[in-house]
Amino acid sequence: MRIAIIGTGYVGLVSGVCLAKIGHEVICVDKEQSKIDMLNARQLPIYENGLAELLKELADIEKISFSSDLAHALQVCDVVFIAVGTPQDESGKADLSAIFLVASEIALRAKADKLVIVKSTVPPSTCYRVRDCLKSSNSKVNFRVASNPEFLREGNAIADFMAPDLIVLGSEDEASRAILNEIYLPFAKEKLFHTDIITAELIKYSINSFLATKVGFINQMADCCESLGANIKDLSRAIGQDSRVGHKFLNPGPGFGGSCFPKDILALLAVAKEQQISLPIIESVISSNSERCHLMVKKIVMAAGGKIEGKKIAFLGLAFKAETDDVRYSPAIRIIKELTKLGAKITAHDYAAIANAKIELKEFSGIGFGQDEYEALDDADLLVVATEWPNYRNLDLAKVKAAMKGRIIIDLRNLLDEKALENQGFAYYSIGRRSDSLK
Ligand code: UGA
C-alpha cells in the first residue's frame, strides 16, 4: 500500500520507517525543506537506536522517500497519516493548530478519496473535527478519518512498533476498518484492537496516565519504605510478581518526565475540566510528580550535610531517561536548576543529551560538562546519578575515588551497587531504603 505520513518528527519518522519495513511504500512529508534534505542525505534529525540503519536500508531500496511536496504525496497515496506535534499550550490543553493546518492543506490538495489517520496524540473527538475540517474545505472528495494512536517509547520505538502489545484502531465505517486491517496485515489479528474513534483517542491518554500513576505510586511507596525501614527493591519486585500488578513501570526514581507523560496527563485533565468531570487521582499524580523534584533536591542537600552552597556536584545523567537525547521535562534538568539556584556548582555528563541540555540550561551559571563520567567527577564533593544509563552501573570505583574530593553518592535511580560502594568507604544514598533515610 502507498502511504503518506505528514510530519517527520519522532512519531512520523519511526512510524514511516516501520511501515516501510512491513512492506508498504511510504512517503514522509514535511514542510521544512532542511529536514527533508537531511533525511534524503540519510541523516536523522532525531536520536533513536537503530533508526538510522533501518532508514538507510529502506531508502536505498526505495521503500521510503522524503519530500516537501504534499500535493504529489496525495496524488500517489490513498492513505495519509497525520503525525505532527500536539504540544501543550499555556493552559495545559493540547495545541491542535498543526493538526488543523495539515488537515486544511490535505483538503486543498486532495483530488481523490482519502483515509486520513490521526497518529498524533489528540483529545477525544479531534478526529471528528478533522473530518469536519476536511469536508467543509473540500466537498468534492470523500474523506474518511480514523484514529491510530502510537505507543512508542523513546529508545525502544522500533521494537515497540514491530512487536506491539496492541494496535489501537478507531474508525467509523467498514471501509476504513478494511484499510486499517490491510495496513497492519503482517501483525497477528489478535493485536488489532478495533473500536470507535473517541474510545481510541481516549485509550492513548488512559495508558499514559495510568503508567504515570504507576510511577507516581511506586515513588510514594519508596517514600514509605525510607520512612519505615522497608526496602523498595524487594517491595517493587514482590508486588510486580502479582500478575494483576505486573513488573513494568515500578522503578522508583526522581519522577517521570519526557515529552509525553507530563503533557498527556495535563491534557487529559484539561479535557475533564471541559467536560466538568473531576479526576482527583490524575490531579494528585501531577502534583506529587512536580513535588518530587523538590524532594530530590532536599535529599541531595541533606546528604551534603544541610548546605549545598559552594559544593561541587558531579551530575551523571541529563536526559529524562536512558537511551535518548531528550531533555524535555527531564527531572535531571529541573534538579540541576534548583541546585544551581542554591549556589551549587555542577559538572554534568550524559551519553547523548549534553547538546540539548546546554540549550535548556543556557541561562544558568555554574554548570559545566564533562567529556566523560570521570571528567565530570573531578574534584567533586558529591556525586548524583539522575538518569539510568546502564554504563553508569559499571563505574570504576577506584577511578571514582581518585577523581572525587568527597565520598557522598546520591543515586536517584537505584543503579549502583550499595555494598560495593559502602565497602569503598562511600556514604551511599538511594531511593526507598531506610539506611538512606535523610530525615
Ligand atoms: C511514553 C509511553 O511509554 C509510550 O508508550 C508512549 O508512546 C509515549 O510515552 C508517547 O506518548 O509518545 P516515553 O515518554 O518514551 O514513552 O517514556 P517512558 O519509557 O514511558 O518513561 C516515561 C517516564 O517515566 C520517564 O521519565 C521514566 O524515567 C519514568 N519511569 C518509567 C520511571 O520513573 N519508572 C519506571 O518504572 C518507568
Side-chain angles (χ1 to χ4, degrees):
M1 191 178 277
R2 283 182 161 172
I3 296 175
I5 302 201
I6 321 290
T8 58
Y10 189 82
V11 173
L13 269 184
V14 173
S15 305
V17 166
C18 291
L19 284 167
K21 182 69 181 169
I22 63 170
H24 300 296
E25 269 179 53
V26 176
I27 306 180
C28 290
V29 182
D30 203 295
K31 62 181 179 197
E32 260 184 65
Q33 189 59 45
S34 59
K35 266 184 161 185
I36 296 299
D37 293 343
M38 249 182 116
L39 290 161
N40 277 325
R42 313 286 193 263
Q43 283 165 9
L44 278 180
I46 58 160
Y47 175 96
E48 181 63 34
N49 267 340
L51 192 62
E53 296 78 1
L54 207 51
L55 178 138
K56 184 177 180 320
E57 172 196 321
L58 294 157
D60 285 351
I61 55 167
E62 293 178 2
K63 292 297 278 180
I64 191 163
S65 59
F66 306 96
S67 166
S68 53
D69 187 350
L70 177 62
H72 169 73
L74 290 170
Q75 210 181 329
V76 296
C77 302
D78 297 326
V79 172
V80 187
F81 278 88
I82 300 181
V84 293
T86 53
Q88 191 179 307
D89 71 12
E90 322 75 61
S91 67
K93 277 163 71 172
D95 176 352
L96 300 176
S97 49
I99 296 264
F100 290 109
L101 187 65
V102 167
S104 48
E105 282 174 2
I106 293 172
L108 204 69
R109 290 173 178 84
K111 302 256 184 300
D113 296 359
K114 300 279 167 257
L115 176 64
V116 177
I117 306 172
V118 177
K119 211 164 220 336
S120 311
T121 301
V122 291
S125 85
T126 300
C127 283
Y128 293 143
R129 290 176 58 203
V130 167
R131 180 196 57 199
D132 294 346
C133 167
L134 290 163
K135 290 193 169 175
S136 64
S137 314
N138 183 347
S139 56
K140 291 195 194 114
V141 167
N142 181 21
F143 289 110
R144 293 192 173 87
V145 292
S147 163
N148 172 216
E150 54 84 21
F151 301 99
L152 311 172
R153 281 165 301 168
E154 291 185 24
N156 209 50
I158 295 171
D160 285 343
F161 191 101
M162 292 301 182
D165 286 333
L166 84 168
I167 297 168
V168 175
L169 303 165
S171 59
E172 49 182 353
D173 57 71
E174 268 313 311
S176 308
R177 221 177 138 113
I179 297 173
L180 292 166
N181 281 338
E182 202 183 325
I183 296 171
Y184 290 106
L185 195 64
F187 294 94
K189 230 175 161 186
E190 317 79 74
K191 299 280 179 190
L192 307 195
F193 189 91
H194 283 281
T195 181
D196 61 85
I197 282 176
I198 295 195
T199 307
E201 292 169 324
L202 189 56
I203 287 171
K204 167 70 192 188
Y205 279 132
S206 306
I207 292 186
N208 275 3
S209 300
F210 184 81
L211 292 173
T213 306
K214 207 172 171 187
V215 172
F217 173 82
I218 202 65
N219 284 340
Q220 291 194 355
M221 286 302 108
D223 294 345
C224 285
C225 286
E226 281 186 31
S227 186
L228 293 165
N231 182 325
I232 192 66
K233 215 171 179 178
D234 287 350
L235 183 138
S236 172
R237 205 182 306 144
I239 65 172
Q241 189 83 14
D242 186 322
S243 59
R244 293 169 301 176
V245 177
H247 284 293
K248 292 178 181 162
F249 284 73
L250 282 184
N251 293 319
F256 58 79
S259 65
C260 306
F261 283 9
K263 165 177 83 76
D264 292 351
I265 197 165
L266 268 179
L268 178 62
L269 202 60
V271 169
K273 277 197 183 126
E274 266 174 18
Q275 297 294 316
Q276 299 184 332
I277 315 162
S278 106
L279 299 180
I281 293 178
I282 301 300
E283 276 175 29
S284 72
V285 172
I286 294 168
S287 59
S288 70
N289 196 59
S290 101
E291 192 47 41
R292 189 131 190 99
C293 269
H294 307 307
L295 212 64
M296 296 299 105
V297 170
K298 201 171 143 200
K299 194 177 176 89
I300 294 165
V301 173
M302 291 183 87
K307 194 166 167 280
I308 205 77
E309 197 183 352
K311 293 267 164 65
K312 206 171 163 212
I313 304 179
F315 208 94
L316 299 189
L318 295 160
F320 81 96
K321 63 171 189 177
E323 311 298 344
T324 178
D325 67 347
D326 198 341
V327 296
R328 285 174 290 176
Y329 290 95
S330 170
I333 299 288
R334 290 176 58 202
I335 293 168
I336 288 178
K337 285 180 179 173
E338 281 201 35
L339 288 171
T340 53
K341 279 187 203 154
L342 295 173
K345 302 266 172 275
I346 309 278
T347 310
H349 173 264
D350 192 282
Y351 292 103
I354 289 182
N356 286 337
K358 279 184 178 167
I359 299 169
E360 192 65 32
L361 293 166
K362 64 178 182 301
E363 275 152 30
F364 289 76
S365 56
I367 304 171
F369 297 89
Q371 295 281 342
D372 62 29
E373 309 83 315
Y374 302 102
E375 196 179 299
L377 285 160
D378 188 37
D379 209 29
D381 297 296
L382 286 87
L383 161 61
V384 175
V385 178
T387 308
E388 74 284 21
W389 285 101
N391 276 358
Y392 292 148
R393 232 186 262 279
N394 308 321
L395 285 174
D396 178 335
L397 294 186
K399 278 171 92 174
V400 174
K401 246 176 147 172
M404 280 181 78
K405 186 166 66 190
R407 292 285 174 266
I408 299 166
I409 298 185
I410 303 110
D411 179 0
L412 304 180
R413 296 283 187 170
N414 288 356
L415 204 65
L416 308 180
D417 183 338
E418 184 178 16
K419 289 229 161 60
L421 288 167
E422 282 172 0
N423 287 343
Q424 291 286 330
F426 286 98
Y428 177 66
Y429 303 94
S430 57
I431 302 278
R433 290 181 208 143
R434 171 46 93 54
S435 55
D436 324 319
S437 179
L438 292 163
K439 283 188 176 170

